[in-house]
Amino acid sequence: MTLLFSPLSIRSATFSNRLWVSPMCMYSAIDGVVQEWHHTHLAQFASGGAGLIVAEATSVTPEGRISPRDTGIWNDQQQDAWAPIVQAIHDRGSLAGIQLAHAGRKASTWWPWADQQGSVAEADGGWRTVAPSAIAFEGFAEPVALDAAGLERIVEGFRTAAQRALDAGFDVLELHGAHGYLLHQFLSPLSNRREDEYGGSLENRARLLLRIVESVRDVAGSDVPIFVRISATDHAEGGFTVAEAAIVAEWAMERGADLIDVSSGGLVAHQKIDVHPGYQVPLAAAVRQDGRIPVAAVGLITTAEQAEQILVEGSADAIFAAREWLRDPHFALRAAHALTADVQWPSQYERARWR
């Protein structure tokens, strides 16, 4: 048995393998409601052998969406639309997760293939964005700095969304604290210039994230795994650092998180990243702290052998992949074939198992 295809248990969840589908935005929702596209898109990964499928960044409030086409889970209609997708994933033998998110100053933007880019004006269906401080992301509209009441609405939004996700049947809750979105904006001194208890020191900059972890754990109880995705570095001078990320990860674990999903970047447009296969794996290893904190690695992980080696060398406990699943929705089955791992295949695909 390979490490990649060995089971992993976290709280009451047991993942059949450690090759998972990372959340990827599809920009195909209507009023935050998932469509048939999402059903087919996510269910196919379960047929392809994924141990866990985490649905895309799903906003906890209307103004938290990255674009007007992003998914949400702040009302009954959205919750009800997610439920059959979760059931389809379960029916095919995988576990289902959802990434709960708020885009902050990077909200109200055009989707990638729109005719224009940048912020969506209110006249075109956009909205005024919020952030830790009134500092715009390069090329986007200036946000409004959140006041005390606004912060409480954010915490309550995550809490309520977590309950809705559980009611829809999701097995795992992931909190999005990466890629320059709201919780990451609070963590980084490049976007957080507050002078209250949510700004300044690392403890203060992490306060909102940690409050949300505690609130979501209260909703989730003792059985449901909670993941936290972080950007372990901003790839920019004066930004959030790997050393700080390791500290925040430990604090999050103390407050109820179970695994840290380690990514990087996304906070500023002037970031400088050396992108190459596995380029974020060393960040995961640093946050993992020699096995003290469970982590998942992500970032141009494209082959079975590469994924297996990451686990063997102790850099991570699980693997999230994204683009490779888009290229091949049966990535896990192909990886099992490449590693000659003896895993359960769908009966319909059994003829492709060995030859």
Side-chain angles (χ1 to χ4, degrees):
M1 179 63 70
T2 65
L3 281 178
L4 190 62
F5 288 96
S6 64
L8 177 64
S9 293
I10 302 176
R11 294 190 185 260
S12 64
T14 297
F15 307 92
S16 62
N17 63 54
R18 303 175 188 227
L19 184 52
W20 301 343
V21 179
S22 193
M24 294 175 278
C25 289
M26 293 290 106
Y27 306 100
S28 300
I30 299 174
D31 295 329
V33 179
V34 289
Q35 305 295 305
E36 177 59 30
W37 166 268
H38 300 88
H39 190 126
T40 302
H41 166 67
L42 293 169
Q44 67 181 340
F45 301 133
S47 297
L52 170 66
I53 300 158
V54 180
E56 65 192 82
T58 298
S59 186
V60 302
T61 66
E63 68 275 8
R65 290 171 293 164
I66 301 168
S67 82
R69 291 190 175 187
D70 277 52
T71 59
I73 192 164
W74 67 79
N75 65 34
D76 290 345
Q77 184 182 10
Q78 294 160 354
Q79 175 186 319
D80 292 346
W82 278 115
I85 296 175
V86 174
Q87 187 60 55
I89 291 171
H90 289 163
D91 289 346
R92 290 160 175 80
S94 297
L95 296 186
I98 187 170
Q99 187 181 67
L100 303 178
H102 191 299
R105 69 179 188 172
K106 291 178 74 175
S108 190
T109 60
W110 293 98
W111 45 97
W113 57 87
D115 292 335
Q116 52 191 311
Q117 295 297 303
S119 297
V120 180
E122 292 186 40
D124 295 322
W127 54 90
R128 191 71 184 273
T129 60
V130 297
S133 306
I135 303 171
F137 182 84
E138 292 93 325
F140 290 5
E142 182 179 297
V144 175
L146 282 160
D147 59 15
L151 288 169
E152 294 306 314
R153 286 194 296 271
I154 298 295
V155 175
E156 182 59 25
F158 274 93
R159 179 185 178 89
T160 302
Q163 185 60 65
R164 287 188 177 281
L166 296 176
D167 291 344
F170 283 102
D171 307 291
V172 174
L173 305 174
E174 177 167 279
L175 307 179
H176 199 351
H179 301 163
Y181 299 123
L182 184 65
L183 301 184
H184 183 188
Q185 291 161 28
F186 270 89
L187 288 171
S188 177
L190 294 177
S191 49
N192 184 347
R193 306 286 175 80
R194 298 176 73 95
E195 297 180 354
D196 62 3
E197 66 270 30
Y198 289 91
S201 68
L202 178 61
E203 182 179 12
N204 284 354
R205 286 182 276 125
R207 190 179 303 276
L208 181 61
L209 170 62
L210 299 179
R211 283 191 62 194
I212 289 170
V213 172
E214 290 178 331
S215 181
V216 171
R217 172 53 66 203
D218 183 56
V219 168
S222 60
D223 291 338
V224 177
I226 295 174
F227 296 176
V228 177
R229 171 164 273 195
I230 62 171
S231 280
T233 174
D234 291 338
H235 297 288
E237 185 177 353
F240 192 59
T241 68
V242 179
E244 289 179 321
I247 294 170
V248 172
E250 191 159 4
W251 288 344
M253 297 291 291
E254 290 170 355
R255 286 159 176 80
D258 298 296
L259 179 141
I260 308 300
D261 176 5
V262 183
S263 189
S264 70
L267 185 87
V268 291
H270 62 273
Q271 64 186 9
K272 296 181 179 179
I273 308 176
D274 176 16
V275 178
H276 55 271
Y279 71 102
Q280 295 179 144
V281 173
L283 302 176
V287 172
R288 191 172 187 257
Q289 301 181 46
D290 295 323
R292 291 177 53 229
I293 296 177
V295 304
V298 68
L300 294 187
I301 301 171
T302 60
T303 71
E305 295 79 7
Q306 179 193 16
E308 176 72 8
Q309 183 58 36
I310 291 167
L311 300 180
V312 168
E313 68 191 17
S315 293
D317 300 275
I319 303 296
F320 270 120
R323 290 174 177 84
E324 194 61 26
W325 283 103
L326 297 183
R327 286 186 281 266
D328 180 3
H330 303 130
F331 181 29
L333 297 181
R334 176 163 54 83
H337 183 270
L339 298 174
T340 63
D342 187 9
V343 302
Q344 183 68 44
W345 281 56
S347 298
Q348 298 89 336
Y349 296 169
E350 185 70 30
R351 75 194 73 174
R353 186 174 184 179
W354 299 119
R355 295 195 298 271

